[in-house]
Amino acid sequence: MIDIAQISNFKVFPKHTGVWEGTWTILNADFQETQRFTAVLTQKIVDNEWRQTNVQTYANGKTETQNFVGHVVGEGQVEIESPDSIFSNYKTLATEVGNHLIVFQIWDKATNILRAVETINLVSDNRRIRTTQSLTEDGKLRGVMVIVEQKIE
């Protein structure tokens, strides 16, 4: 019998459960702001799966919802997928680093080319800072995203 690690016993993922709210700022490769919005993320562990729902709200009042499900693939590692069309072409591996950091690597499923790297730094029990480097298919910087979040529940 294969012993599957329990995500609830991981060092970092359980610290991220709850409801988080923050401002997302997206910059292009020249570091000019192209988009800004707020988002509320609900993150929980259910049946040894990471379940996440993002609700983004834009200045014009428009909202978008995205869903993600993660499965344990190793100690401190979760593979995250999304049924939502914008993310369904990507595979994501999230890896705990130390006691406060999660590093996400995101590849294009069709080409296996790395398209983004994200870090989430839990700077306190209720505050985290996230940064994402988005890459073009040929490995050039496409843009950067910075997210500052507070735990609200």
Side-chain angles (χ1 to χ4, degrees):
M1 183 171 126
I2 297 172
D3 185 26
I4 296 176
Q6 295 297 304
I7 194 169
S8 58
N9 295 331
F10 283 13
K11 288 182 184 177
V12 185
F13 274 93
K15 297 176 185 177
H16 287 272
T17 59
V19 180
W20 297 81
E21 182 175 42
T23 301
W24 299 40
T25 305
I26 300 172
L27 309 174
N28 64 19
D30 296 320
F31 307 108
Q32 303 300 310
E33 184 175 319
T34 60
Q35 195 172 35
R36 180 183 295 251
F37 55 88
T38 60
V40 174
L41 280 63
T42 302
Q43 298 174 310
K44 54 191 169 185
I45 298 168
V46 179
D47 298 330
N48 205 32
E49 289 183 339
W50 181 257
R51 305 230 184 125
Q52 178 173 323
T53 301
N54 298 6
V55 179
Q56 299 170 186
T57 303
Y58 299 89
N60 64 5
K62 176 184 164 195
T63 63
E64 290 180 347
T65 301
Q66 295 144 2
N67 296 288
F68 301 91
V69 176
H71 299 93
V72 174
V73 293
E75 191 62 45
Q77 292 192 314
V78 176
E79 187 173 294
I80 298 175
E81 298 178 314
S82 175
D84 299 326
S85 61
I86 191 169
F87 296 104
S88 64
N89 296 328
Y90 298 99
K91 62 180 180 179
T92 300
L93 180 65
T95 305
E96 296 180 333
V97 178
N99 293 317
H100 302 286
L101 191 66
I102 298 175
V103 176
F104 290 79
Q105 297 174 84
I106 301 145
W107 293 272
D108 183 294
K109 282 182 181 177
T111 63
N112 208 34
I113 293 173
L114 185 68
R115 297 306 305 268
V117 175
E118 178 175 348
T119 60
I120 302 179
N121 184 8
L122 189 64
V123 294
S124 72
D125 289 344
N126 62 356
R127 197 165 55 91
R128 63 188 184 187
I129 299 168
R130 300 167 52 181
T131 55
T132 303
Q133 303 170 21
S134 295
L135 307 170
T136 63
E137 283 199 14
D138 57 354
K140 291 187 170 68
L141 181 67
R142 196 178 107 223
V144 176
M145 180 168 57
V146 179
I147 307 165
V148 178
E149 295 173 307
Q150 299 283 332
K151 190 179 236 184
I152 58 174
E153 281 182 33

